[in-house]
Amino acid sequence: MKKTLLTSLLLWLSIGTLQAQDSLITAQPDTTWRRSFAGGINLNQAAFSDNWKAGGISSIAFNANVDARADYKLGKTTWDNAVQLQYGMLKNKGEEQRKSIDRIFLDSKYGYAISSDWNTFVSANFLSQFTKGYEYDVDADGTDRLISNFLSPGFLTFALGAEYKPNPYFSLRLSPFAPRFTFLADDNVAVNERYGVPEGKSVRTEWLAAMVQASYNRDIFTNVNLRLNYMSYINYKELTGKRIDHLFNSVLTAKVNRYINVNLMANFIYDYDQDSDVQYNQSLGLGILYTMQGFTVN
């Protein structure tokens, strides 16, 4: 089952990429595609002498992020594709390097307009991380505990519903039918964390569920961009406040010049199957940002 679902996802994304590339190559001129790409690397460093009395520890950290979109529109038909990747490492003096942020998010949506502001749509999105994640120093002897890896967990969600999109920078998706598959591929992770996957299984299937998604992406000031994404997942069999999942992602980017930027990123997750408390991470960095708008593939 797991291999079939992964094969289907990869096939979906591969077909979409090939069709997009073919359209980009052959369209003369291209008036139906709107594309954007932003890739950045942020570096933070601090150094202290051994006799620095104010306190502190030497450290170095970096994180990289990619945010790409390819949106197609022809008449009443739309096809929107988004990729968000984040990864970072941190090294403190006297400690091994540790992961500071790790996120993979892929989203593809096919829509058909029924009015100026509303579309019907079908979509698929995938959420996971690249590499192993640990809970550090959990035991008295300093042992680290493996709690995540690629596809452990991994979430593949399909959705059918209606989308409200009154302008280019805001959208709200309402999906009364949104089956989700939770993967737990690494047996070593499964020993410590199950993420709602039943014992003895590597996939949890939630067929009867709903999903709400909202996104906002706009330049709020000159050279300052704010991007917000929210997702709520509701299993009809678990209709209580504590059992409703919430995911929130935000990125605030301020361009100093063409290549230098300051950005603030934050992720908030509430998933009772993972933890009864809210999880969050945040990073602030100065780095290099490369962006492209409306490009074509030759």
Side-chain angles (χ1 to χ4, degrees):
M1 178 66 172
K2 176 177 66 178
K3 292 183 178 179
T4 302
L5 291 170
L6 288 177
T7 302
S8 300
L9 173 63
L10 293 174
L11 184 60
W12 178 322
L13 295 175
S14 298
I15 292 174
T17 302
L18 291 174
Q19 289 180 344
Q21 289 179 347
D22 182 65
S23 298
L24 293 176
I25 294 171
T26 59
Q28 299 290 337
D30 180 7
T31 59
T32 58
W33 282 96
R34 186 180 64 190
R35 296 163 297 276
S36 66
F37 172 89
I41 296 177
N42 299 314
L43 181 66
N44 299 281
Q45 181 269 339
F48 302 87
S49 65
D50 292 337
N51 63 341
W52 185 258
K53 302 304 182 183
I57 185 170
S58 299
S59 65
I60 185 169
F62 90 94
N63 66 66
N65 63 86
V66 170
D67 186 0
R69 294 196 62 90
D71 298 337
Y72 175 85
K73 180 176 175 58
L74 182 62
K76 294 185 177 182
T77 300
T78 58
W79 181 29
D80 299 337
N81 302 277
V83 176
Q84 296 173 14
L85 309 175
Q86 298 173 337
Y87 192 81
M89 298 295 295
L90 169 68
K91 176 68 169 68
N92 290 326
K93 183 180 179 180
E95 298 178 347
E96 296 182 357
Q97 67 180 20
R98 299 180 175 186
K99 186 168 61 174
S100 58
I101 191 169
D102 190 355
R103 185 172 186 265
I104 303 172
F105 180 74
L106 311 176
D107 185 79
S108 184
K109 175 182 67 70
Y110 180 87
Y112 186 82
I114 55 177
S115 73
S116 59
D117 296 337
W118 286 90
N119 305 312
T120 57
F121 76 89
V122 59
S123 70
N125 67 60
F126 174 74
L127 178 67
S128 189
Q129 53 279 318
F130 287 100
T131 60
K132 293 180 179 179
Y134 295 90
E135 184 177 1
Y136 295 101
D137 304 327
V138 295
D139 296 327
D141 60 357
T143 303
D144 300 332
R145 187 163 68 107
L146 181 66
I147 55 174
S148 64
N149 201 351
F150 178 68
L151 280 181
S152 299
F155 303 93
L156 175 61
T157 308
F158 297 94
L160 176 67
E163 178 187 38
Y164 175 63
K165 193 170 185 178
N167 50 56
Y169 51 84
F170 174 79
S171 70
L172 174 66
R173 300 186 201 175
L174 306 174
S175 309
F177 178 65
R180 180 173 69 177
F181 304 90
T182 302
F183 301 98
L184 190 58
D186 190 332
D187 292 335
N188 294 318
V189 173
V191 173
N192 301 314
E193 296 286 349
R194 297 297 309 178
Y195 297 102
V197 177
E199 290 285 346
K201 295 186 178 182
S202 57
V203 180
R204 177 192 182 189
T205 303
E206 297 171 90
W207 288 107
L208 298 176
M211 186 166 62
V212 176
Q213 294 173 268
S215 65
Y216 182 89
N217 189 343
R218 190 179 188 184
D219 290 340
I220 55 176
F221 302 109
T222 302
N223 294 328
V224 178
N225 178 265
L226 176 64
R227 189 183 75 229
L228 306 172
N229 292 285
Y230 169 78
M231 182 186 302
S232 177
Y233 192 79
I234 307 163
N235 188 323
Y236 290 131
K237 295 181 178 180
E238 301 174 346
L239 284 176
T240 64
K242 288 186 176 181
R243 291 290 184 175
I244 297 175
D245 299 341
H246 303 274
L247 292 86
F248 179 75
N249 165 257
S250 64
V251 181
L252 180 68
T253 304
K255 296 182 66 175
V256 178
N257 57 34
R258 183 177 179 182
Y259 296 111
I260 304 299
N261 79 100
V262 178
N263 67 66
L264 175 64
M265 294 186 292
N267 293 288
F268 295 84
I269 298 175
Y270 177 79
D271 185 339
Y272 192 83
D273 293 317
Q274 298 185 28
D275 197 286
S276 58
D277 294 324
V278 175
Q279 306 172 56
Y280 70 92
N281 64 43
Q282 173 269 324
S283 64
L284 173 66
L286 172 68
I288 298 172
L289 178 69
Y290 180 72
T291 63
M292 292 188 294
Q293 299 284 341
F295 59 90
T296 59
V297 177
N298 296 318

